[in-house]
Amino acid sequence: MNQEIVINLSLEHHEVPTLRELVGWDGRHSDYPILFERCNFWAGLRDEKNELIAFGYIAGMGLQHGYMEDIIVHPQHQRKGIGQALVKKLLQEAERFGLEIVTLTYDSKHTTFYSDCGFVPCPGGVWRRKD
C-alpha cells in the first residue's frame, strides 16, 4: 500500500455511496453528507488515480464509547491489508480522540479479521425497525 490512510479525508458526497454499491451494499445516498456532520471522524484511502478505495468511520457521543461502521474496501483492492490498516488507523484516532471503548457488529465470517485488528468477540444484539 503506497498511499496513506487519511483521517477526515476530503470526500465528494457521491464517493462513499459509490464505494458501498461496488461491494454490493445499498448506497444510502441520502446519508451523505449528513454522516460527516454527525460522526466523530472517518478515514479514507485513495488509489494512484485518486479514486476512493477504502472508507470507514466511528460515530458516538464523543465521550467514552464509539461505534465503528462501514469498513469498506473496493473489491479490486481487497485482501491486500488495506482493511486491517484502515481499522487500525481508526482505532489509533479513537485513542487520540479519547475514546475508551469501540464496538462494532459484523458477520461471523469476519471474526478472524476483526480479532486480528484487536477486537474481542462478545455477545450482543441488534434491533431493527419493522417496515
Side-chain angles (χ1 to χ4, degrees), residues 3-10 42-46 56 86 89-90:
Q3 305 290 84
E4 181 181 341
I5 294 169
V6 176
I7 295 296
N8 295 341
L9 177 70
S10 180
W42 62 91
L45 176 66
R46 296 185 180 284
L86 177 65
K89 183 74 168 189
L90 285 165

Side-chain angles (χ1 to χ4, degrees), residues 2-129:
N2 298 337
Q3 305 290 84
E4 181 181 341
I5 294 169
V6 176
I7 295 296
N8 295 341
L9 177 70
S10 180
L11 296 166
E12 297 293 325
H13 300 173
H14 67 90
E15 289 184 288
V16 176
T18 299
L19 186 58
R20 289 178 59 88
E21 290 168 349
L22 284 170
V23 298
W25 297 355
D26 176 28
R28 291 174 43 189
H29 292 265
S30 64
D31 288 1
Y32 301 89
I34 297 167
L35 180 130
F36 301 121
E37 298 166 5
R38 295 187 182 174
C39 71
N40 298 106
F41 48 87
W42 62 91
L45 176 66
R46 296 185 180 284
D47 66 9
E48 60 281 346
K49 294 182 252 173
N50 205 34
E51 292 181 24
L52 183 67
I53 61 167
F55 175 80
Y57 69 91
I58 293 181
M61 297 292 292
L63 302 172
Q64 179 186 29
H65 177 250
Y67 179 77
M68 184 180 289
E69 190 166 68
D70 287 0
I71 301 303
I72 313 167
V73 177
H74 189 291
Q76 294 178 350
H77 297 276
Q78 293 177 0
R79 304 209 179 277
K80 298 178 181 178
I82 295 171
Q84 194 170 57
L86 177 65
V87 169
K88 289 182 177 183
K89 183 74 168 189
L90 285 165
L91 292 174
Q92 287 172 354
E93 184 66 8
E95 276 192 88
R96 192 194 69 72
F97 197 79
L99 298 178
E100 296 177 28
I101 300 167
V102 175
T103 58
L104 77 154
T105 56
Y106 53 85
D107 189 297
S108 60
K109 67 183 178 185
H110 299 301
T111 299
T112 300
F113 171 83
Y114 285 108
S115 293
D116 289 349
C117 291
F119 284 89
V120 177
C122 60
V126 175
W127 173 88
R128 287 186 183 260
R129 181 186 73 205

